[in-house]
Amino acid sequence: EQLALKNNPTLAQAEAAIQAAEGRRRQAGLWPNPIVGYEADGLAFNSTVYPYRNAQYVFVEQSILTGGKLGKSKNIAAQEKAQSQAEAEAQRMRVLNAVRLLYYQAVGAQQLVDLRQQLTDWAREATDISGQLFNAGQADRPDILTAEVELQRAEIELARAKNEFSRVWQTLAAVVGDPQLKPERLEDTLN
């Protein structure tokens, strides 16, 4: 959970949204910038036309907000920031929930691998015993073939269980935000 809270990119994205909302809140309470400009009209470089066509202007413009518009804008931006904070907390809870869920899925997948390994070992032992009984003349060829088929089924189910454990672990590593996280033995059990 601590790794996920530190490394999950969606949590960093939610924090950036909060910071952006704070910037908009701060900006909403400020007066608009004044506009200063210069305008020249009819510039003429001919000396006979110059006195009649030359006009130059300098201007300053400032919007004056009335009716408490700045305060209202600031309140709206403050509510947007509060909304961003609530969404960030919800995302944090989603990440923690996903980590917990995937952890228990990984524990279950690990236990399934252990059980499938035991079944495969027993099937291998049964195949060996069937072979020995066949050599001693106490088992038929169909008995050996049945034991071999069961061994193959057990090996396939073991491979499936290992693939499922690997998939769950990769998903857990992605949610934690560390794709290089190596699978390790989990000590918990689903009892």
Side-chain angles (χ1 to χ4, degrees), residues 149-160:
V149 167
E150 290 302 320
L151 175 61
Q152 290 173 355
R153 284 185 183 157
E155 287 172 344
I156 289 170
E157 291 301 320
L158 176 62
R160 283 185 185 165

Side-chain angles (χ1 to χ4, degrees), residues 23-170:
R24 287 190 300 275
R25 186 198 62 78
R26 192 175 309 130
Q27 183 66 32
L30 300 176
W31 281 85
N33 291 334
I35 300 171
V36 177
Y38 169 79
E39 186 176 317
D41 186 30
L43 290 178
F45 297 104
N46 185 339
S47 62
T48 57
V49 181
Y50 181 77
Y52 306 108
R53 298 278 302 157
N54 189 11
Q56 298 182 25
Y57 308 97
V58 175
F59 63 92
V60 176
E61 181 180 320
Q62 173 66 53
S63 298
I64 301 193
L65 303 176
T66 58
K69 290 182 185 121
L70 284 179
K72 291 176 184 175
S73 293
K74 197 169 185 176
N75 288 340
I76 290 170
Q79 290 303 316
E80 288 176 355
K81 180 182 177 188
Q83 179 182 356
S84 294
Q85 289 171 329
E87 289 171 356
E89 180 60 21
Q91 181 61 28
R92 187 177 89 68
M93 297 307 286
R94 280 191 290 271
V95 167
L96 288 175
N97 187 42
V99 167
R100 291 172 186 155
L101 178 70
L102 287 167
Y103 173 79
Y104 286 112
Q105 284 181 355
V107 169
Q110 175 181 283
Q111 286 181 335
L112 186 60
V113 168
D114 294 344
L115 291 173
R116 293 293 182 192
Q117 184 63 56
Q118 281 181 343
L119 288 173
T120 302
D121 293 343
W122 291 340
R124 190 170 288 114
E125 187 178 328
T127 302
D128 292 343
I129 291 172
S130 294
Q132 291 171 2
L133 289 174
F134 179 76
N135 290 338
Q138 295 184 357
D140 296 333
R141 183 80 178 141
D143 295 334
I144 293 174
L145 294 175
T146 301
E148 288 175 355
V149 167
E150 290 302 320
L151 175 61
Q152 290 173 355
R153 284 185 183 157
E155 287 172 344
I156 289 170
E157 291 301 320
L158 176 62
R160 283 185 185 165
K162 286 180 178 179
N163 287 341
E164 177 64 13
F165 178 71
S166 177
R167 182 197 64 79
V168 170
W169 196 268
Q170 288 174 353

Side-chain angles (χ1 to χ4, degrees), residues 3-15:
L3 280 173
L5 291 176
K6 186 175 94 173
N7 296 332
N8 190 287
T10 62
L11 297 178
Q13 180 182 11
E15 184 60 35

